[in-house]
Structures are given as C-alpha cells and as structure tokens.
C-alpha cells in the first residue's frame, strides 16, 4: 500500500511540535508547506531533503515509509 507522502510530512511535523509556519520559515515558504500537506503539489528534491533534515527523518526512511518497505512509522 502506498502511503500518502503529504500525510507523513504533516503527521511527523505535528509530532515534532513544529507548526506549518515554523517549517515554512525554515525552508522559505509556508504556503509551499501548506500545498504539500494538502496534496496540491509535490516537494522538489531540495525541499524534501530540507524538510527531512528539519524533521530529523533520514530521507531513506521517508521513502521506505512512502513505498511501504518498512513498518516503522516516522511520526
């Protein structure tokens, strides 16, 4: 089962106690975070790496979770 990447980002962000505004300020655009989390756009490779770094999630774990290759949860 393919897990929605936007759900992973939202749930992980919330579990880390980071608001959309805070995350947006750290990567340069709150509106982009909102669009990503609402499934309206996909993050660029660079933005995804920044998001994972800020949320302290190894990018390989992010992709493994998205493609259901691991049963660990990032949030």
């Amino acid at each position: 089962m393919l897990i929605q990447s936007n759900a992973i980002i939202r749930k992980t962000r919330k579990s880390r106690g980071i608001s959309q505004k805070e995350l947006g300020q750290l990567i340069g655009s709150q509106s982009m975070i909102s669009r990503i989390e609402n499934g309206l756009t996909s993050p660029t490779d660079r933005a995804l790496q920044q998001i994972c770094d800020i949320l302290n999630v190894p990018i390989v774990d992010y992709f493994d979770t998205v493609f259901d290759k691991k049963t660990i949860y990032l949030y």
Side-chain angles (χ1 to χ4, degrees), residues 50-67:
Q50 288 177 312
I51 291 167
C52 285
D53 289 346
I54 292 164
L55 297 178
N56 197 29
V57 174
I59 200 160
V60 70
D61 288 352
Y62 168 85
F63 282 115
D64 284 347
T65 302
V66 168
F67 294 104

Side-chain angles (χ1 to χ4, degrees), residues 10-11 15 21 24 39 48 52 57 68:
R10 180 185 300 113
K11 288 179 181 180
S15 76
K21 181 178 180 179
L48 181 59
C52 285
V57 174
D68 202 27

Side-chain angles (χ1 to χ4, degrees), residues 3-4 7-16 57 65 72-75:
I3 298 171
Q4 294 291 324
I8 293 169
I9 292 170
R10 180 185 300 113
K11 288 179 181 180
T12 305
R13 175 184 58 74
K14 286 183 176 184
S15 76
R16 303 290 196 267
V57 174
T65 302
I72 64 163
Y73 293 94
L74 302 174
Y75 41 88

Side-chain angles (χ1 to χ4, degrees), residues 9-51:
I9 292 170
R10 180 185 300 113
K11 288 179 181 180
T12 305
R13 175 184 58 74
K14 286 183 176 184
S15 76
R16 303 290 196 267
I18 300 172
S19 70
Q20 267 190 3
K21 181 178 180 179
E22 291 170 315
L23 184 55
Q25 288 173 338
L26 291 169
I27 69 160
S29 175
Q30 178 185 355
S31 63
M32 182 170 64
I33 296 300
S34 177
R35 290 191 310 271
I36 291 168
E37 289 187 358
N38 288 307
L40 301 175
T41 192
S42 297
T44 63
D45 294 341
R46 181 173 185 241
L48 181 59
Q49 183 65 60
Q50 288 177 312
I51 291 167

